[in-house]
Amino acid sequence: MNLSRRLEKVRGSESPLTIAEGAPPNSFTASNGSNEPVTLGRIHEAKTAETASAVDVVELTQTGAVASGALGALKERASQALYERLGARITDSSLEETELHQYVKDELKIVVDEEQVPLTTSERQRLTREIIDDVLGHGPIQRFLDDPSVTEVMVNRYDQVYVERDGKLSMTDTKFASDDALRRVIERIVSKVGRRIDESSPLVDARLADGSRVNAIIPPLAVNGPALTIRKFGRDALTVQKLIAFGSLSPEMAELLHACVLARLNIIVSGGTGTGKTTLLNALSSFIPASDRIVTIEDAVELQLQQDHVVRLESRPPNIEGKGEVAIRDLVRNSLRMRPDRIVVGEVRGGECLDMLQAMNTGHDGSLSTVHANSPRDAIARLETLVLMAGMDIPLRAVREQVSSAVNLIVHISRLRDGTRRVTHITEVQGMEGEIVTLQDAFVFDYSAGVDANGRFLGKPVPTGVRPRFTDRFTELGIPISPHIFGAQPVRSR
């Protein structure tokens, strides 16, 4: 097959030059059906035209790349000029957000006009949007923060950005211009919540305006350059009904948890990183009556309680001199003097666990908190360890008695292999038996149903058939609960 035929076959259409049936191999005829032989000159013309067409395609591709590069260079120059024009006004706290946006837009128009580069309307709009995102927003990751399908954004370095959708991680083609551009975005985020990040304090926990959790770490601790992790919060808080619709909870589980919150049982939500502990804690808090006074205590404010009577407290890191730190433990102690009906601790991860357990044991029933653990049994062991981190010489048996007396219920949530988040255990803490804290599952996740063709688990939470002891308290308080929710057929826990 000659060059012309090969090119035409690749393009999907036959060449105007074909070999006539029954003709000798070197005898060519035109494809229009005439028997006029094709001259070498016509063959040369066809090859020349095909070569010219291929050159046009290459030139168009190169032109597009050059145009994209020119637009990127223009963006860099305009951004730098804009930063120079804005100066300290970009961090002026006296300016309202709307005023600052309008001021930046006006200055940006002047900067772009001074460049005297001919741009189409769409190019000018795109350039303006991207520069404003860089200067006032979160740079190239702003579109992921605006995308409701993205649940987490992970910037490993300035040119490597991953996102999470539906529990699955994927790499994007998004890049920051440089380490400095990423560093500016990080500093803009942490400065808005009164925190700082520099070489003397190279890691920080912060939050966005919508409550999304932010962690940033910079050199010298981050070897490959600044790293940024943002765990997004949905615009609308997930309700219990939505968790049931997603399959994270069963209706029977929700009914039991509703009764437990009304009965003022102390509940610990346990789970691994990214399993949805805070989301579940938010959902459980919706069961708290509106008449109760609630005090929430967190490292970085994340809880989205719907009640009106709420006091929100947030810990504070030390300043540049190493002074002024207010730890979670200090806030837990202070909350006891604030006449709380409920104390909600976003997460216990240190010595504050002892103060929280003492509060639960001294009349502050109905408290809620979360802890990192891989199972309900591990949650108990972790609470024991956290109490010992308070620095007090307490015998282990005394610690276990505190835990078994204070905690009534453990709700364990897991992220399964298919990316879904499911409540896999609802476990009653029954007390001490010898030296061991005894636990009894009320609900467990049934793994025996297997997975479907897409790898999604078909199982669901099922009752074990054992009625928890604390249901007697429901009867005393007049809290109705359906007897059938505990089932009759015991299921072996995994």
Side-chain angles (χ1 to χ4, degrees):
M1 184 182 292
N2 63 18
L3 178 62
S4 301
R5 291 292 299 280
R6 289 178 186 169
L7 287 173
E8 290 300 328
K9 189 172 183 180
V10 170
R11 292 178 181 175
S13 63
E14 284 298 322
S15 169
L17 304 177
T18 60
I19 299 176
E21 287 187 23
N26 294 327
S27 176
F28 292 90
T29 58
S31 61
N32 59 7
S34 68
N35 293 325
E36 181 184 352
V38 178
T39 65
L40 290 175
R42 293 185 63 183
I43 295 174
H44 179 71
E45 289 174 4
K47 289 182 178 179
T48 303
E50 289 160 0
T51 304
S53 176
V55 170
D56 288 343
V57 172
V58 172
E59 287 180 349
L60 282 173
T61 304
Q62 291 176 341
T63 302
V66 170
S68 177
L71 197 61
L74 174 60
K75 176 184 168 184
E76 279 294 307
R77 294 196 305 271
S79 297
Q80 190 61 39
L82 183 61
Y83 275 114
E84 292 174 359
R85 293 180 69 95
L86 292 175
R89 295 204 65 177
I90 196 170
T91 56
D92 188 354
S93 58
S94 64
L95 277 177
E96 294 288 337
E97 195 74 17
T98 53
E99 292 177 342
L100 182 59
H101 269 77
Q102 189 57 49
Y103 177 70
V104 169
K105 283 182 180 179
D106 295 341
E107 291 296 316
L108 180 57
K109 184 177 184 303
I110 296 172
V111 169
V112 174
D113 289 342
E114 288 177 351
E115 286 287 336
Q116 296 182 348
V117 177
L119 297 172
T120 64
T121 303
S122 61
E123 288 174 338
R124 180 178 285 270
Q125 289 175 346
R126 174 188 163 194
L127 181 67
T128 302
R129 182 178 67 252
E130 290 182 357
I131 292 177
I132 288 179
D133 283 346
D134 284 346
V135 175
L136 296 178
H138 304 99
I141 63 172
Q142 183 65 50
R143 62 191 178 99
F144 299 128
L145 299 179
D146 296 334
D147 185 349
S149 68
V150 174
T151 53
E152 197 149 359
V153 181
M154 290 148 281
V155 184
N156 294 347
R157 54 177 189 261
Y158 80 93
D159 59 349
Q160 190 180 73
V161 180
Y162 283 81
V163 297
E164 181 189 69
R165 287 187 176 93
D166 300 323
K168 304 292 185 182
L169 298 181
S170 60
M171 188 174 177
T172 70
D173 57 359
T174 298
K175 298 179 181 179
F176 285 82
S178 63
D179 280 341
D180 290 338
L182 175 55
R183 180 76 175 266
R184 283 197 295 267
V185 170
I186 293 173
E187 289 174 349
R188 192 176 308 125
I189 291 172
V190 302
S191 64
K192 287 184 178 179
V193 291
R195 310 251 169 137
R196 64 185 178 86
I197 185 167
D198 49 40
E199 282 69 18
S200 64
S201 179
L203 51 88
V204 68
D205 287 317
R207 67 181 187 277
L208 300 183
D210 63 357
S212 297
R213 183 189 304 175
V214 176
N215 176 269
I217 183 167
I218 62 173
L221 300 186
V223 178
N224 294 330
L228 175 66
T229 308
I230 301 176
R231 181 171 297 163
K232 288 175 55 181
F233 268 37
R235 292 181 175 86
D236 301 319
L238 286 178
T239 62
V240 173
Q241 288 72 24
K242 288 182 180 178
L243 293 178
I244 293 173
F246 293 153
S248 298
L249 275 175
S250 68
E252 293 79 15
M253 279 181 162
E255 183 178 349
L256 176 61
L257 293 175
H258 186 193
C260 289
V261 173
L262 290 179
R264 302 181 67 88
L265 299 185
N266 295 317
I267 301 174
I268 297 292
V269 177
S270 66
T273 300
T275 54
K277 298 185 298 297
T278 304
T279 299
L280 182 57
L281 190 63
N282 268 324
L284 292 179
S285 69
S286 67
F287 294 140
I288 299 177
S291 58
D292 284 4
R293 175 178 171 85
I294 307 169
V295 177
T296 68
I297 302 168
E298 302 171 82
D299 256 339
V301 172
E302 296 174 302
L303 294 173
Q304 300 170 311
L305 274 64
Q306 306 304 310
Q307 292 85 349
D308 291 328
H309 201 171
V310 179
V311 179
R312 307 171 79 191
L313 306 180
E314 184 179 42
S315 65
R316 187 177 70 184
N319 59 21
I320 196 168
E321 298 174 350
K323 300 177 181 178
E325 179 182 13
V326 180
I328 292 282
R329 189 172 187 184
D330 301 320
L331 296 178
V332 172
R333 290 176 188 162
N334 185 78
S335 69
L336 302 179
R337 307 184 187 97
M338 298 175 67
R339 199 263 177 212
D341 290 310
R342 312 263 186 165
I343 299 174
V344 181
V345 182
E347 181 183 345
V348 288
R349 60 183 75 180
E352 67 271 8
C353 183
L354 175 60
D355 299 283
M356 185 191 71
L357 293 176
Q358 287 180 329
M360 291 177 173
N361 276 324
T362 54
H364 295 91
D365 296 332
S367 298
L368 307 171
S369 186
T370 71
V371 67
H372 277 82
N374 294 325
S375 68
R377 174 61 63 186
D378 287 345
I380 293 295
R382 180 150 167 77
L383 290 175
E384 295 170 2
T385 303
L386 293 177
V387 169
L388 296 176
M389 288 173 64
M392 303 181 70
D393 189 14
I394 305 175
L396 184 57
R397 179 174 177 84
V399 173
R400 289 178 175 169
E401 288 176 347
Q402 281 270 348
V403 172
S404 63
S405 175
V407 180
N408 303 116
L409 191 69
I410 297 174
V411 183
H412 186 74
I413 186 168
S414 300
R415 186 202 290 250
L416 305 185
R417 288 196 310 272
D418 59 3
T420 59
R421 297 169 173 89
R422 310 283 186 94
V423 174
T424 57
H425 294 78
I426 292 183
T427 304
E428 177 189 16
V429 182
Q430 293 185 329
M432 291 281 292
E433 189 173 304
E435 296 290 326
I436 304 299
V437 178
T438 57
L439 305 178
Q440 177 60 57
D441 293 330
F443 285 86
V444 296
F445 187 82
D446 181 15
Y447 290 92
S448 62
V451 297
D452 63 13
N454 298 320
R456 185 180 176 90
F457 280 89
L458 296 172
K460 61 179 183 179
V462 294
T464 60
V466 179
R467 188 181 180 91
R469 296 177 183 174
F470 55 65
T471 54
D472 295 337
R473 189 168 177 177
F474 300 161
T475 305
E476 295 170 1
L477 297 174
I479 299 171
I481 188 168
S482 304
H484 75 274
I485 70 170
F486 299 109
Q489 299 298 323
V491 174
R492 183 177 296 175
S493 174
R494 189 175 108 165

